[in-house]
Amino acid sequence: MSYYIERLRELREDSDITQAQIAKVLGTSQTMYARYEREANELPVRHLITLCQYYKVSADYILGLNTRK
């Protein structure tokens, strides 16, 4: 499993947000977002940027390149 998958789930769960709520932020369906968290589909860069802005963290943090948010 890619490290970013764990970070996506951790950020979402720590914020008490559902997959459906994050999917709405990204402009996609809950089903598609669930596929990102299962690594069935790769997360598009545009969604990575949106998630960084939403959670106020760096892309390096989500990607596991840095342990600091």
Side-chain angles (χ1 to χ4, degrees), residues 3-4 11 14 18-20 23-24 30 34 53 57-61 65:
Y3 197 79
Y4 80 93
L11 286 165
D14 287 350
T18 66
Q19 288 182 341
K24 188 173 183 176
Q30 182 274 329
Q53 293 169 336
V57 298
S58 70
D60 283 351
Y61 176 75
L65 301 173

Side-chain angles (χ1 to χ4, degrees), residues 30-56:
Q30 182 274 329
T31 302
M32 182 56 76
Y33 183 77
R35 292 180 61 83
Y36 298 148
E37 280 196 9
R38 287 194 323 267
E39 204 172 9
N41 284 72
E42 287 189 19
L43 182 71
V45 172
R46 70 181 185 278
H47 289 334
L48 174 62
I49 293 167
T50 301
L51 291 171
C52 290
Q53 293 169 336
Y54 182 82
Y55 291 122
K56 297 179 177 51

